[in-house]
Amino acid sequence: MKMQLQSRSVLCFVVLAICGLYSDAYRILFMGPFPAPSHWMWLEHFQRDLLKRGHHVTSLNNHPTKTPHENLTEIILNPIFDIPKHFPKENLFTMRYASDFQNLQMYWKIGELTTEHALQDPQVKRLIESQDEHYDLVILEQYFHEAFLMFGHKFKCPVVTIGTMGYADNMDHAMGILTPWSFIPHLLLSHTDKMSFSQRAYNSYLSLYDVVIRRWYYMPRMQQIAEKYFGLAIKGALPNVLDLERNISLMLINSHRSVDLPRPSMPGLINVGGAHIQPAKKLPEDIQRFMDNATHGVVYFSLGSYMKSTDMPPEKTAQFLQAFGRLKQQVLWKYENASIGQLPANVMIRKWMPQNDILAHPNLKLFITHGGIFGTQEGIYWGVPMLCIPLFGDQHRNTIKSVREGYARSMNFAQLNVEDLVNNIEALIYEPAYKRSAWEISKRFRDNPIHPLEEASYWIEYIIRQRGARYLKSQGAHMPLYQYLLLDVIGFALLSLWLAVWLPWRMLRRLYNWWALTVATAQKREIKKRL
Ligand SMILES: *[C@@H]1O[C@H](CO)[C@@H](O)[C@H](O)[C@H]1NC(C)=O
Ligand SMILES: *[C@@H]1O[C@H](CO)[C@@H](O)[C@H](O)[C@H]1NC(C)=O
Ligand SMILES: *[C@@H]1O[C@H](CO)[C@@H](O)[C@H](O)[C@H]1NC(C)=O
Ligand SMILES: *[C@@H]1O[C@H](CO)[C@@H](O)[C@H](O)[C@H]1NC(C)=O
């Protein structure tokens, strides 16, 4: 008997020791179902860092990795969701501003379509139906794919989300704070925190619209999608995605104190803006030579990874070439075709450019960009003035901010002409104020206690170690609205106040009436007596 006990405890000890030995390597399900390449390029930095730290990652996304790893298992959605088929690119080049309400609806629509597209993939279906898979953590891009939160429920593990686009009100709500609409502009607006009356009114209207439609139209759609694809595979009633959202342990958000507005926060909201920026690597030899040799500096032009320069209308391409031909500077253009027609002597085109390393080159004078969030952050980091030509989504907003900060100018794509282009480019290169502002903000952006990517990985591991760390958010997340806003307490106080005034008043009146009546009857009696 004693022997048995002893051998059992030895076994226990050995098992524990082995567990302890391997407890640092976790199994993580990393999901980026949104097909736009720039989103994944950003997310993959987090994934690579987790692999580097020895964790095992199963990655569900649209873009096969170029850096395979023995501990990386990929689930690549196939076929990839065809965004341009649903949202034609031609429209993006001609449209000026879509209304904020249209933009919101577009996000919800694209969220529904891409979520459903991803969930019906046979490999994803197999993951949903899997019986023997185990994960310590689910990581999901925070981008209109709430049905995917069901994976946290399926694998009974905590969920971390990564917010590519910065803050939205619903992230605050999930963490237990109500966004103050008086000084926090809605995700889609580019106001500062000093809003005029009309701005505050519009902000409240848009934010309220967002909350109401999200709660009573969009999230129920997500619930339907979740039930359609998880319903059969998971036993028992499925939880509500709204509750799953309130159960998210941690949100890593693409925001940085030096460039974004200060806002109320929770310990579970971590800013990781700039996580993707790495030290500059060596440039390919031809580009290196091209840039080293540029006595008047270099202008770099890229429309990002989604919109291709080759999609531009030909007359625009011609205008850019003509303008570039008139510059003293050398021009690097990310153009996705080997040929472009007549190429001026000072222009070099390449299908792909190592953007971060080019922006880091000391001869770089100007970045001509569509104003995407990741490119803008890279430009900020390396202190480069920018000419922003925004096309859609958050690009208009980012551009307005950049112009406000004084390191950028903006142009409207549909209306630009050669003369304007040259003028803007030369102003940004020759007026020193732009470079000064760019350096100023760069210094602020780089001033971090720890690299944002390292911080992100620390918190991801923390969530696993502390089993979801439910204490990183406030009870506000689980409270009904009337309690959060103290409507019950205010109602009670008002009622008490009213009673405190009204009751004595009523009693005094009664008393007075009674007294008056008594006096009156007494007088009457007196008069009667005298008569
Ligand atoms: C892969 O995971 C194993 C087991 O956790 C670990 O020993 C190994 O170092 C990892 N490989 C790499 C390249 O990190
Ligand atoms: C939220 O998380 C807690 C603790 O991990 C769990 O008990 C609860 O069931 C979760 N809620 C939902 C709706 O999944
Ligand atoms: C570098 O500049 C010199 C002088 O301007 C020029 O002669 C030479 O051809 C350039 N080299 C390259 C590789 O562009
Ligand atoms: C690339 O350029 C060639 C020649 O100008 C043209 O025929 C071809 O359609 C272009 N390809 C793309 C993808 O634009």
Side-chain angles (χ1 to χ4, degrees):
M1 185 64 203
K2 206 169 177 195
M3 230 0 238
Q4 218 176 357
L5 251 179
Q6 234 168 23
S7 65
R8 208 182 281 168
S9 52
V10 167
L11 193 70
C12 256
F13 177 77
V14 170
V15 168
L16 278 178
I18 291 174
C19 286
L21 219 60
Y22 286 101
S23 70
D24 286 335
Y26 300 121
R27 292 181 51 82
I28 297 170
L29 179 59
F30 197 113
M31 299 189 290
F34 194 65
S38 63
H39 287 232
W40 183 250
M41 277 156 65
W42 195 66
L43 292 170
E44 202 180 2
H45 284 93
F46 298 87
Q47 176 175 302
R48 270 199 295 266
D49 201 51
L50 291 170
L51 287 166
K52 212 168 80 191
R53 287 163 177 256
H55 305 306
H56 292 234
V57 177
T58 299
S59 175
L60 185 160
N61 75 87
N62 299 275
H63 308 278
T65 186
K66 295 191 184 81
T67 49
H69 190 285
E70 59 170 320
N71 295 334
L72 172 66
T73 313
E74 288 190 299
I75 299 176
I76 301 299
L77 300 176
N78 186 18
I80 186 170
F81 179 83
D82 190 2
I83 309 180
K85 196 176 131 212
H86 296 267
F87 302 90
K89 282 189 183 182
E90 300 86 82
N91 298 357
L92 297 180
F93 277 121
T94 49
M95 125 179 132
R96 260 206 91 179
Y97 285 98
S99 89
D100 298 317
F101 297 89
Q102 282 169 327
N103 268 333
L104 260 182
Q105 287 157 8
M106 188 185 83
Y107 282 129
W108 288 325
K109 187 81 215 154
I110 212 168
E112 276 176 36
L113 290 171
T114 51
T115 301
E116 182 139 26
H117 178 86
L119 287 176
Q120 68 198 6
D121 188 288
Q123 305 166 79
V124 179
K125 214 163 172 184
R126 237 172 288 141
L127 185 66
I128 293 174
E129 286 163 1
S130 64
Q131 293 299 328
D132 42 9
E133 292 283 333
H134 155 80
Y135 292 101
D136 299 302
L137 184 73
V138 165
I139 298 181
L140 173 66
E141 181 184 5
Q142 175 95 33
Y143 195 76
F144 307 98
H145 299 111
E146 286 78 2
F148 273 80
L149 294 172
M150 208 57 87
F151 279 107
H153 172 70
K154 160 147 185 81
F155 293 116
K156 298 272 174 288
C157 64
V159 176
V160 169
T161 60
I162 306 185
T164 342
M165 300 255 296
Y167 281 92
D169 291 4
N170 60 284
M171 302 182 194
D172 290 345
H173 300 170
M175 280 290 154
I177 20 179
L178 281 188
T179 316
W181 295 338
S182 47
F183 60 91
I184 300 293
H186 186 271
L187 160 75
L188 293 184
L189 300 180
S190 49
H191 300 321
T192 64
D193 49 3
K194 278 187 232 133
M195 288 184 270
S196 67
F197 175 80
S198 59
Q199 288 174 333
R200 271 181 291 128
Y202 182 70
N203 185 43
S204 308
Y205 177 44
L206 180 65
S207 304
L208 185 68
Y209 173 86
D210 185 354
V211 169
V212 171
I213 306 290
R214 187 176 196 275
R215 170 67 183 78
W216 281 284
Y217 164 74
Y218 170 74
M219 289 302 267
R221 274 292 298 143
M222 276 294 152
Q223 183 71 18
Q224 275 175 5
I225 295 174
E227 294 196 349
K228 179 166 165 197
Y229 292 97
F230 288 83
L232 289 177
I234 298 181
K235 279 187 228 72
L238 289 185
N240 197 310
V241 282
L242 279 165
D243 292 324
L244 293 176
E245 189 172 56
R246 286 192 275 260
N247 245 12
I248 294 172
S249 293
L250 178 78
M251 295 180 181
L252 302 168
I253 297 161
N254 188 8
S255 173
H256 195 276
R257 71 191 98 69
S258 66
V259 290
D260 293 298
L261 294 175
R263 53 192 294 147
S265 194
M266 276 289 153
L269 292 167
I270 302 289
N271 294 334
V272 294
H276 65 301
I277 299 170
Q278 300 293 326
K281 292 188 299 288
K282 218 173 128 38
L283 285 164
E285 200 161 321
D286 52 344
I287 297 181
Q288 183 79 45
R289 213 167 337 112
F290 185 83
M291 293 190 80
D292 286 349
N293 216 17
T295 25
H296 295 280
V298 179
V299 171
Y300 168 59
F301 176 31
S302 163
L303 281 182
S305 52
Y306 178 64
M307 296 304 287
K308 302 267 182 281
S309 291
T310 35
D311 298 328
M312 284 201 307
E315 69 273 13
K316 290 287 171 202
T317 310
Q319 283 174 325
F320 275 106
L321 280 178
Q322 221 180 321
F324 293 159
R326 281 172 47 184
L327 300 176
K328 275 203 261 173
Q329 283 73 25
Q330 306 282 88
V331 179
L332 282 171
W333 182 351
K334 177 176 168 287
Y335 188 84
E336 298 80 3
N337 196 347
S339 93
I340 195 173
Q342 269 299 359
L343 194 66
N346 63 332
V347 182
M348 178 195 251
I349 56 171
R350 287 287 179 274
K351 288 181 193 170
W352 180 80
M353 297 258 187
Q355 178 158 298
N356 190 53
D357 308 330
I358 289 174
L359 293 175
H361 195 287
N363 280 352
L364 192 85
K365 294 282 185 234
L366 176 67
F367 178 19
I368 306 180
T369 168
H370 62 310
I373 182 79
F374 308 114
T376 301
Q377 288 171 334
E378 286 169 21
I380 288 175
Y381 185 88
W382 295 111
V384 180
M386 294 180 227
L387 176 56
C388 304
I389 308 176
L391 297 170
F392 63 94
D394 63 335
Q395 296 161 10
H396 295 285
R397 229 173 323 135
N398 302 334
T399 297
I400 292 171
K401 281 195 200 165
S402 300
V403 172
R404 196 157 54 210
E405 290 285 352
Y407 56 82
R409 287 182 164 223
S410 75
M411 295 185 78
N412 177 260
F413 184 86
Q415 292 164 354
L416 59 79
N417 60 46
V418 178
E419 204 58 40
D420 275 355
L421 255 174
V422 174
N423 288 344
N424 276 301
I425 292 173
E426 295 193 330
L428 282 156
I429 293 176
Y430 294 117
E431 288 175 24
Y434 292 107
K435 184 68 187 173
R436 238 186 349 252
S437 303
W439 266 124
E440 202 50 48
I441 198 155
S442 165
K443 274 189 288 184
R444 264 153 54 191
F445 192 69
R446 288 166 177 234
D447 199 345
N448 293 314
I450 170 179
H451 192 283
L453 185 59
E454 209 174 309
E455 182 169 3
S457 294
Y458 169 82
W459 284 108
I460 290 171
E461 290 172 348
Y462 180 95
I463 292 298
I464 306 176
R465 280 198 304 274
Q466 308 305 338
R467 291 158 219 270
R470 297 176 60 74
Y471 46 86
L472 297 184
K473 67 174 67 185
S474 81
Q475 192 52 33
H478 309 289
M479 239 175 210
L481 190 64
Y482 75 87
Q483 283 184 17
Y484 188 103
L485 294 174
L486 286 177
L487 295 184
D488 50 351
V489 175
I490 294 171
F492 178 77
L494 287 179
L495 188 70
S496 311
L497 197 68
W498 184 68
L499 286 178
V501 175
W502 184 76
L503 269 185
W505 169 244
R506 273 299 293 250
M507 269 161 68
L508 278 177
R509 270 193 44 183
R510 280 257 170 107
L511 220 67
Y512 173 78
N513 285 348
W514 173 80
W515 175 77
L517 200 69
T518 334
V519 172
T521 18
Q523 277 175 348
K524 256 187 220 160
R525 217 175 288 142
E526 192 92 341
I527 291 167
K528 246 185 207 164
K529 229 190 231 170
R530 277 203 207 143
L531 286 176

